[in-house]
Amino acid sequence: MAPVTAGYTHRMRTNRRELFASLLAAAAATQVHAADDIAIPGKRPMILHNDRPEDLETPLRYFNSFLTPVDSFFVRQHIPRPTIDTAAYRLTINGMVSKPAQLSLADLQKLPQFTVAATLECTGNGRVFYSPKVPGIQWGRGAVGNAEWRGPKLGDVLKLAGVDTSSTWIEFDGADSPVMSTPDFVRSMPMQKAMHPATLLALSMNGETPAMHGFPVRLIVPGWDGTSWVKWVTRLTPGTAPGNGFFMNPGYRYPKYALPPGTPAKPAELEVIEGMPVKSSITSPEDQSKAALGAIAIRGFAWAGEQAIERVEVSTDGGSRWHDAQLSSPKLPFAWRL
Ligand SMILES: Nc1nc2c(c(=O)[nH]1)N[C@H]1C(S)=C(S)[C@@H](COP(=O)(O)O)O[C@H]1N2
Ligand SMILES: [Mo]
């Protein structure tokens, strides 16, 4: 794998007028926080984008560990969260399989269990910084988190049902159902990624089973953007083509090649979002914040989809000179690096 380098500039403010402007902005930012950080049961106060369904963003000041605790992990839901009775829960496996199955939670618990540390990022993370503005939740930089996911391999579950080796796609449905104008959340993925040994049907997240994050059974697609990580999975359907529901088409597509900002792409120029690009985020000091004169530590994390972060460089002079950052978490594929 090629080494990946992530960079981020942090410009120091020098002149008085700029400093004054930044103080005003900091005061305004503080007010926004005070009004916006709302406690929902099971969560620390979070930046609230919607309350039903819950769309919660992690305030940057909570990011200080390799694993993001469940109580400060961002939440994204298109449709109000379903209530699942774990005793009655069944996972339906149909389509191109020789042994269609209805698996209980106990059936999934009996399979060999694997743990993967992986970063989950919403496609819309950072949308508030887009210029021109685009519709959708105006996430700042807190629609991302890193957790340890544990459960059987999706590939093992598919083999149990006798998956047809000529199937090339698989469709997933979550227990949430359409509400008014919002269609059902159904997603498809190429079979190759489904059979990857790190693709799991997670039964826990950091040792917990939070309903808000899709448990009892949640799909883990390491290195791919959050849209593929279907929560409350109730159906697996191998086939030979991707589904064509709203959340596959036109939803969740990117232009195949760069277009000038604000230029609408033609449908033929769009493709399904899969992997996550290399990215980094400074979590401290926060933008526009004040610090006493002297040395300050700059902290953050970088991630690169299916690849491991090799090196991170930081510039404090607008990009003229770059310094190697000290990396304080292991070099792993799928997971961010502090
Ligand atoms: N069933 C279902 N799964 C879903 C969604 C959803 O609305 N319904 N949202 C997706 C999106 S867009 C993201 S970014 C992640 C968010 O996961 P989280 O809420 O655990 O952070 O879940 C994905 N899985
Ligand atoms: Mo998302």
Side-chain angles (χ1 to χ4, degrees):
M1 279 182 210
V4 169
T5 301
Y8 195 107
T9 65
H10 186 84
R11 199 157 63 90
M12 290 300 179
R13 296 179 183 275
T14 43
N15 79 45
R16 234 161 224 244
R17 194 188 295 147
E18 270 194 351
L19 183 64
F20 182 63
S22 88
L23 293 181
L24 281 181
T30 309
Q31 278 166 16
V32 169
H33 270 151
D36 274 2
D37 292 5
I38 306 256
I40 298 261
K43 293 282 173 186
R44 296 169 74 184
M46 302 279 279
I47 302 166
L48 185 76
H49 290 284
N50 284 311
D51 61 355
R52 189 176 154 75
E54 294 104 345
D55 289 312
L56 314 173
E57 178 173 344
T58 309
L60 288 184
R61 63 184 181 281
Y62 293 173
F63 286 119
N64 52 21
S65 53
F66 176 65
L67 296 181
T68 312
V70 169
D71 69 4
S72 45
F73 209 100
F74 85 98
V75 178
R76 170 65 173 128
Q77 269 142 212
H78 292 86
I79 313 169
R81 173 158 49 94
T83 318
I84 296 181
D85 170 2
T86 51
Y89 171 84
R90 291 294 179 275
L91 173 65
T92 299
I93 312 175
N94 58 17
M96 289 176 71
V97 293
S98 58
K99 293 172 273 182
Q102 295 268 332
L103 303 181
S104 67
L105 197 53
D107 294 331
L108 294 172
Q109 285 161 342
K110 269 181 232 142
L111 290 168
Q113 306 287 304
F114 298 87
T115 303
V116 174
T119 299
L120 165 58
E121 182 187 19
C122 179
T123 317
N125 189 31
R127 185 179 284 130
V128 72
F129 305 114
Y130 285 11
S131 175
K133 293 277 166 234
V134 291
I137 296 180
Q138 297 298 300
W139 300 106
R141 289 187 285 135
V144 60
N146 190 64
E148 226 163 50
W149 314 90
R150 183 168 173 79
K153 291 179 187 174
L154 175 60
D156 287 349
V157 175
L158 290 172
K159 282 177 205 153
L160 199 74
V163 61
D164 187 328
T165 50
S166 60
S167 64
T168 48
W169 283 85
I170 173 168
E171 186 177 83
F172 303 87
D173 193 4
D176 41 358
S177 36
V179 171
M180 292 192 283
S181 60
T182 309
D184 200 5
F185 195 82
V186 181
R187 293 280 304 171
S188 297
M189 186 198 305
M191 192 51 90
Q192 201 180 355
K193 182 65 176 172
M195 297 304 281
H196 189 288
T199 303
L200 304 181
L201 276 177
L203 308 180
S204 72
M205 166 188 191
N206 296 345
E208 297 172 43
T209 55
M212 238 186 264
H213 292 287
F215 294 91
V217 182
R218 200 247 167 95
L219 181 62
I220 305 306
V221 195
W224 283 28
D225 98 280
T227 321
S228 297
W229 298 46
V230 178
K231 304 201 265 190
W232 317 289
V233 181
T234 51
R235 177 174 60 81
L236 310 178
T237 310
T240 51
N244 209 29
F246 173 81
F247 290 107
M248 289 301 291
N249 191 11
Y252 292 113
R253 288 179 176 242
Y254 266 167
K256 287 181 193 164
Y257 20 77
L259 295 166
T263 315
K266 295 184 194 77
E269 294 170 335
L270 295 170
E271 64 187 356
V272 177
I273 301 172
E274 296 185 340
M276 291 190 288
V278 61
K279 211 159 164 183
S280 65
S281 208
I282 290 176
T283 53
S284 145
E286 282 200 50
D287 226 9
Q288 315 285 338
S289 62
K290 292 185 284 181
L293 213 56
I296 51 165
I298 300 174
R299 295 197 171 81
F301 44 79
W303 66 107
E306 294 178 339
Q307 300 190 61
I309 289 287
E310 186 88 34
R311 214 167 94 225
V312 176
E313 293 177 309
V314 182
S315 173
T316 54
D317 59 6
S320 304
R321 285 170 305 165
W322 292 86
H323 309 275
D324 271 323
Q326 205 180 311
L327 302 176
S328 65
S329 67
K331 181 182 154 189
L332 295 168
F334 315 128
W336 68 24
R337 208 156 179 201
L338 304 185

